[in-house]
Amino acid sequence: MDLNEYNLDFFRESANGDVKFMKYILNLTARELQDYFNRFAEALQNGDIEQARRAKHKLHPHLEALQAYDLQKLSENLINESDRLSAELLQAFQQKATLLCNAIQQAANDEK
């Protein structure tokens, strides 16, 4: 994932220099995001727009804190176009979501 597509400053500030806590926050965030991403995609694939909206609502604060605006925009587009769900758009979302989670986990591993 392009380093310009997300920002960890919020999490660094929250950890206040505590490397162990920073690793914990990043790993927890990556796990939670992956769960919400999966719920969101599954709900869309099943045509359950209310469930997709709930998952998107849970994603929003994480994506906002990460400044992952591209994923926020993709999730909004998927909700807005749910009646004619684009497989390509959903696949792009899922790929970016996976890359983000992997990047966050890698950042946790790289913390010293």
Side-chain angles (χ1 to χ4, degrees):
M1 178 167 228
D2 182 355
L3 293 177
N4 296 325
E5 292 186 33
Y6 74 100
N7 186 316
L8 297 177
D9 289 347
F10 171 81
F11 298 93
R12 286 189 180 101
E13 290 171 16
S14 297
N16 199 25
D18 185 336
V19 174
K20 188 175 179 180
F21 186 58
M22 178 68 172
K23 287 180 181 231
Y24 172 78
I25 289 172
L26 292 176
N27 282 317
L28 179 63
T29 299
R31 282 192 309 270
E32 285 181 348
L33 278 173
Q34 191 61 61
D35 183 48
Y36 297 145
F37 287 142
N38 290 342
R39 288 181 194 186
F40 180 73
E42 184 178 319
L44 286 171
Q45 289 169 331
N46 293 334
D48 187 346
I49 300 311
E50 281 309 309
Q51 183 65 25
R53 286 184 198 279
R54 283 192 287 277
K56 183 183 167 298
H57 179 73
K58 299 236 183 212
L59 280 169
H60 182 77
H62 293 292
L63 296 179
E64 190 72 26
L66 289 162
Q67 298 175 12
Y69 303 123
D70 193 36
L71 273 169
Q72 280 182 305
K73 187 174 181 175
L74 273 172
S75 66
E76 189 63 38
N77 289 343
L78 282 163
I79 290 288
N80 291 337
E81 298 178 17
S82 58
D83 59 333
R84 54 189 185 286
L85 184 60
S86 164
E88 294 84 25
L89 191 60
L90 183 57
Q91 183 178 18
F93 175 83
Q94 289 173 307
Q95 287 173 342
K96 284 187 175 280
T98 299
L99 288 172
L100 177 62
C101 290
N102 290 343
I104 294 169
Q105 286 177 328
Q106 186 61 48
N109 293 336
D110 291 346
E111 284 294 316
K112 296 177 181 142

